[in-house]
């Protein structure tokens, strides 16, 4: 007869025996998750979380456990799930290192204000406060990252605390963390001793708009001579009214990087994002603008870059009252849903005739697009990242999903991906953690199995989580992973060029990612020349359609992308030799400053720059 095993403070042999009319607390807990619509839970098992594993085994027909190779990947995948779907993401980690590994993903979710639940294992109750193996006071570890943070004390509490955690995560758009002593999940509780509040969950209704605020905004927009609309993720799903309003009041449209996928990239007045992850037209527009309509936006570089220093009138729309006036003094503050407020403004605002300000910005946008298109369409010279994007644009589906890593690829995808509002683009926007590309692709394919899913990553970011390429293979998640491989942390190297004495820690050895893919059961391709790109991407897309995980190792040159936040194009600010050197370095002979187009329209240019700010 097998001996009873006492481990992590419980009797493992008798743990799963139960009486009629009862249910294991762990199983009740998993049923709570199911009642809230949770389909996937990410993590790695361990002794201190094994009662949850037993419950997941018992409920395996109703909820899918996804075994990742690192708890960080599980937490990042849960966070990306929330970003893609709006539904709560769930991950877990065992006591000690398993739980602390999840922190990267928990902080990503916190900064993005998306709902996430983390279940953290703990030593059994008999061993608590004895300084036993992997037993520690876990609650303070998660205090900063969470809006709800509890350790379960009794088995009867367990499903209730989980239900409360989910309600709090949804209500406060944040991270809920629950620590669970492992023995409690195996304890019998009454079958009718728990319930779920999922059926009672209701989202907050949109605030009722204040008519006086709408009228005040309309008055300022009617008076504006140089208006610009600056749209954030609060406008997601409302792209058409944004475009209609821009055209009606003749205001070019700037957008934050994370709202990049909300607008068709061919909109004639789309400036792009200012400052760090930037495009030239957006950087140049704000010093010249007199009125900003700041909608659904929490632009985090506003104060440090002084981007609004020349603005005379500032109108803000936000559904969160804590955001109103946060980034700049608001002349008019409108509490409400972005779409509702924009429609109300649109109905009342005067339609403007074509104005010099509008035409100058349209010309500036067209000039910028000619520049990026020229880079993308090159057929000679070294392989650059631009031609890789051109190949992606050729084969990407109209509803493709992009999981984008952090670094140069964040900036360059915003410049060079040709997107429409049916597609999705997600990254780690405010926390900006490298390594999110693979977890995001795994999550996206689980959530949207019939859609084409891309992971776009620099080699630095890919290196962070590349072990979980095996997770995509194991779970048969056909995804396409593009590695922009130039043996460097490109974005950080660029920062060091601007601020440091020299380069240190930003370059590293090459890795053959195609061989790595083959070793993990994926399909690997290597691209070294422009002439290879089209055929390789066409083949890769077909292989994904056949159910394969594909990696393309694109060995690109290591030039710096044009630093739009630090342009050297204005002849009244820089000598001709410096401008010529700037244009030569960035293949930008035909780029012109916004002042050129303003003055063509008979408008005065302020000839000022915006500070980079921060780093």
């Amino acid at each position: 007869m097998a001996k009873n095993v006492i481990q992590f403070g419980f009797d493992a042999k008798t743990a799963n025996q139960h009486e009629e009319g009862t249910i294991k607390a762990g199983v009740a807990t998993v049923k709570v998750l199911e009642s809230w619509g949770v389909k996937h839970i990410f993590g790695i098992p361990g002794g201190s979380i094994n009662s949850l594993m037993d419950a997941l085994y018992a409920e395996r027909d109703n909820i899918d456990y996804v075994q990742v190779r690192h708890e960080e990947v599980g937490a990042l995948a849960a966070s990306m799930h929330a970003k893609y779907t709006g539904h709560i993401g769930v991950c877990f980690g065992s006591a000690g290192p398993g739980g602390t590994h999840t922190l990267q993903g928990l902080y990503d979710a916190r900064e993005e204000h998306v709902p996430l639940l983390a279940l953290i294992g703990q030593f059994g109750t008999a061993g608590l406060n004895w300084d036993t193996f992997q037993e520690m006071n876990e609650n303070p570890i998660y205090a900063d990252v969470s809006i709800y943070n509890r350790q379960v004390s009794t088995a009867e509490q367990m499903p209730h605390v989980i239900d409360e955690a989910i309600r709090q995560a949804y209500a406060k758009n944040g991270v809920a963390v629950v620590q669970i002593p492992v023995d409690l999940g195996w304890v019998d509780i009454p079958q009718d001793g728990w319930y779920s509040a999922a059926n009672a969950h209701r989202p907050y209704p949109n605030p009722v708009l204040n008519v006086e605020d709408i009228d005040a905004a309309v008055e300022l927009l009617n008076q504006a001579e140089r208006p610009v609309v600056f749209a954030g993720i609060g406008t997601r799903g409302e792209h058409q009214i944004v475009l209609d309003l821009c055209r009606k009041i003749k205001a070019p449209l700037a957008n934050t990087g994370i709202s990049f996928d909300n607008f068709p990239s061919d909109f004639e007045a789309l400036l792009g994002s200012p400052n760090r992850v930037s495009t030239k037209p957006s950087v140049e527009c704000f010093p010249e603008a007199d009125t900003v309509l700041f909608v659904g936006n929490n632009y985090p570089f506003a104060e440090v870059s002084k981007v609004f220093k020349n603005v005379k009138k500032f109108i803000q729309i936000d559904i969160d009252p804590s955001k109103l006036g946060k980034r700049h003094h608001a002349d008019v503050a409108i509490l409400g849903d972005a779409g509702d407020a924009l429609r109300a403004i649109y109905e009342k605002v005067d339609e403007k005739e074509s104005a010099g300000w509008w035409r100058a910005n349209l010309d500036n946008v067209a000039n910028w697009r000619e520049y990026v298109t020229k880079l993308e369409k090159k057929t000679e010279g070294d392989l650059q990242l631009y031609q890789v994007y051109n190949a992606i644009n050729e084969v990407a589906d109209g509803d493709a999903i992009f999981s984008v890593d952090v670094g140069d690829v964040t900036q360059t995808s915003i410049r060079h991906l040709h997107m429409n509002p049916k597609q999705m683009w997600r990254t780690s926007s405010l926390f900006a953690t490298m390594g999110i590309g693979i977890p995001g692709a795994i999550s996206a394919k689980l959530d949207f199995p019939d859609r084409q899913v891309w992971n776009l990553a620099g080699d630095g970011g890919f290196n962070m989580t590349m072990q979980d390429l095996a997770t995509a293979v194991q779970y048969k998640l056909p995804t396409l992973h593009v590695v922009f491989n130039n043996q460097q942390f490109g974005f950080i190297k660029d920062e060091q060029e601007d601020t440091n004495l020299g380069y240190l820690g930003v370059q590293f050895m090459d890795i053959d990612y195609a061989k790595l893919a083959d070793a993990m059961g994926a399909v690997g391709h290597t691209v070294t020349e422009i002439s290879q790109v089209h055929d390789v991407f066409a083949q890769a897309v077909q292989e994904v359609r056949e159910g394969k995980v594909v990696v393309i190792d694109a060995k690109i040159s290591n030039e710096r992308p044009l630093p739009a936040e630090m342009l050297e194009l204005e002849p009244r600010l820089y000598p001709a030799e410096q401008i010529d050197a700037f244009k030569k370095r960035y293949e930008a002979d035909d780029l012109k400053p916004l002042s050129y187009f303003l003055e063509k329209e008979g408008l005065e240019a302020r000839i000022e720059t915006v500070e980079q700010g921060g780093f």
Side-chain angles (χ1 to χ4, degrees):
M1 179 180 293
K3 296 180 179 179
N4 289 11
V5 178
I6 306 299
Q7 189 178 26
F8 287 93
F10 60 86
D11 182 341
K13 183 182 178 188
T14 60
N16 283 298
Q17 300 172 5
H18 68 92
E19 300 178 2
E20 187 176 351
T22 65
I23 186 173
K24 295 297 179 185
V27 174
T29 293
V30 172
K31 286 182 176 293
V32 169
L33 297 179
E34 294 165 7
S35 73
W36 282 92
V38 175
K39 303 297 183 186
H40 305 102
I41 181 169
F42 303 89
I44 297 178
S48 59
I49 200 77
N50 269 341
S51 62
L52 175 66
M53 303 311 296
D54 256 346
L56 290 171
Y57 182 81
E59 290 294 300
R60 61 191 180 277
D61 293 335
N62 302 316
I63 190 169
D64 290 330
Y65 159 58
V66 181
Q67 176 201 60
V68 291
R69 268 40 179 198
H70 195 292
E71 291 92 348
E72 175 184 346
V73 170
L76 287 171
S79 178
M80 288 291 272
H81 164 80
K83 296 178 203 179
Y84 284 122
T85 67
H87 304 148
I88 193 166
V90 184
C91 64
F92 66 85
S94 56
T100 57
H101 279 167
T102 68
L103 281 169
Q104 196 81 344
L106 306 192
Y107 272 102
D108 180 67
R110 185 192 81 162
E111 294 301 294
E112 303 267 350
H113 302 286
V114 295
L116 187 146
L117 171 65
L119 306 177
I120 307 299
Q122 176 60 287
F123 205 97
T125 53
L128 289 179
N129 301 318
W130 286 76
D131 296 329
T132 45
F133 176 72
Q134 288 188 335
E135 183 269 324
M136 61 187 73
N137 184 6
E138 294 178 325
N139 193 265
I141 297 173
Y142 303 97
D144 179 64
V145 76
S146 61
I147 51 85
Y148 182 84
N149 180 27
R150 297 289 189 275
Q151 177 170 298
V152 176
S153 299
T154 68
E156 289 77 10
Q157 286 179 1
M158 194 168 161
H160 168 77
V161 170
I162 298 302
D163 189 63
E164 177 73 12
I166 296 173
R167 286 191 288 113
Q168 292 288 339
Y170 272 125
K172 298 176 181 176
N173 291 316
V175 175
V177 182
V178 179
Q179 301 104 48
I180 305 173
V182 65
D183 56 317
L184 298 184
W186 277 306
V187 174
D188 293 333
I189 63 174
Q191 182 75 45
D192 59 357
W194 64 277
Y195 67 91
S196 164
N199 70 308
H201 173 65
R202 299 292 186 276
Y204 286 113
N206 291 342
V208 177
L209 297 173
N210 184 309
V211 176
E212 292 181 357
D213 292 339
I214 296 295
D215 290 343
V218 168
E219 182 178 356
L220 291 186
L221 291 172
N222 284 339
Q223 296 170 356
E225 296 179 354
R226 298 184 177 193
V228 59
V229 175
F230 193 3
I233 59 172
T235 63
R236 188 167 280 154
E238 297 284 4
H239 66 277
Q240 193 57 56
I241 185 59
V242 177
L243 304 187
D244 291 345
L245 181 62
C246 286
R247 288 180 173 128
K248 186 172 185 179
I249 65 174
K250 302 302 181 287
L253 172 63
N255 59 305
T256 54
I258 54 175
S259 66
F260 160 62
D261 60 345
N262 191 39
F263 305 104
S265 59
D266 60 356
F267 174 51
E268 69 272 17
L270 184 62
L271 302 170
S273 176
N275 201 251
R276 300 259 302 156
V277 182
S278 58
T279 55
K280 172 185 174 289
S282 192
V283 168
E284 293 177 304
C285 177
F286 284 96
E288 305 289 346
D290 64 7
T291 303
V292 172
L293 177 56
F294 191 70
V295 53
N297 198 337
N298 186 35
Y299 183 62
F301 297 103
E303 296 90 347
V304 293
S305 68
K306 298 180 176 60
V307 67
F308 304 127
K309 66 180 179 180
N310 289 339
V311 171
K312 296 176 182 178
K313 299 297 180 182
F314 192 86
I315 305 163
Q316 184 174 3
I317 301 169
D318 209 287
I319 202 167
D320 181 354
S322 72
K323 298 293 192 300
L324 294 173
K326 177 180 174 68
R327 297 303 184 185
H328 190 74
H329 170 75
D331 296 282
V332 176
I334 300 172
L335 178 65
D337 173 74
D340 292 345
L342 291 173
R343 278 183 284 272
I345 291 171
Y346 182 86
E347 290 301 318
K348 293 186 173 185
V349 75
D350 294 341
E351 182 160 7
K352 296 184 179 180
E353 299 295 328
S354 182
W357 168 250
W358 172 255
R359 291 191 299 269
N361 277 281
L362 261 58
D363 289 344
N364 198 31
V365 169
N367 180 239
W368 169 253
R369 288 180 180 167
E370 290 169 2
Y371 167 69
V372 295
T373 300
K374 180 185 73 173
L375 295 177
E376 293 163 8
K377 299 292 187 180
K378 285 175 63 176
T379 58
E380 297 180 352
D382 295 336
L383 177 64
Q384 300 169 302
L385 61 91
Y386 317 114
Q387 297 89 52
V388 177
Y389 281 112
N390 185 53
I392 295 171
N393 290 327
E394 288 179 344
V395 297
D397 287 349
D399 63 349
I401 299 173
F402 295 92
S403 175
V404 180
D405 220 298
V406 169
D408 271 350
V409 71
T410 319
Q411 177 193 77
T412 56
S413 66
I414 287 172
R415 293 182 183 179
H416 297 282
L417 279 181
H418 303 169
M419 296 197 70
N420 69 75
K422 293 181 180 180
Q423 296 170 324
M424 281 197 283
W425 180 101
R426 299 290 187 274
T427 187
S428 176
S429 57
L430 204 57
F431 193 50
T433 178
M434 294 169 63
I436 200 165
I438 289 176
I442 290 170
S443 179
K445 197 62 182 178
L446 288 168
D447 291 328
F448 304 96
D450 297 327
R451 291 174 67 173
Q452 186 188 64
V453 174
W454 297 77
N455 160 34
L456 308 183
D459 44 356
F462 194 80
N463 290 344
M464 292 275 188
T465 54
M466 60 186 177
Q467 76 284 336
D468 271 272
L469 187 66
T471 301
V473 174
Q474 178 173 319
Y475 286 92
K476 297 179 174 59
L477 301 173
T479 42
L480 211 160
H481 304 258
V482 181
V483 185
F484 293 85
N485 181 356
N486 55 6
Q487 301 97 62
Q488 62 183 15
F489 296 114
F491 201 75
I492 304 168
K493 182 183 176 185
D494 298 343
E495 291 173 336
Q496 289 191 357
E497 177 183 344
D498 298 334
T499 61
N500 287 31
L501 297 174
Y503 298 128
L504 184 63
V506 293
Q507 295 162 314
F508 42 78
M509 61 173 276
D510 189 16
I511 293 176
D512 189 332
Y513 296 105
K515 284 186 177 179
L516 178 76
D518 292 340
M520 291 190 180
V523 177
H525 298 281
T526 301
V527 178
T528 59
E529 299 176 3
I530 297 175
S531 61
Q532 301 169 335
V533 172
H534 176 84
D535 290 344
V536 168
F537 272 79
Q539 181 180 346
V541 168
Q542 180 57 38
E543 289 165 342
V544 168
R545 292 192 186 108
E546 295 168 357
K548 300 171 184 176
V549 177
V550 180
V551 174
I552 298 179
D553 183 356
K555 297 189 181 298
I556 60 171
S557 58
N558 62 1
E559 300 101 336
R560 179 179 184 173
L562 182 143
E565 74 281 11
M566 295 186 298
L567 294 169
E568 297 177 7
L569 295 174
E570 175 53 58
R572 280 159 287 191
L573 293 177
Y574 304 100
E577 304 80 35
Q578 188 170 344
I579 294 173
D580 289 342
F582 183 87
K583 287 185 173 183
K584 181 178 180 181
R585 178 177 180 182
Y586 298 110
E587 304 179 68
D589 289 341
D590 297 326
L591 272 186
K592 294 179 174 61
L594 174 59
S595 62
Y596 171 84
F597 300 107
L598 288 172
E599 289 166 357
K600 276 184 63 177
E601 295 291 342
L603 300 175
E604 181 182 354
R606 291 196 178 98
I607 316 298
E608 291 188 31
T609 59
V610 172
E611 298 176 29
Q612 185 176 1
F615 295 92

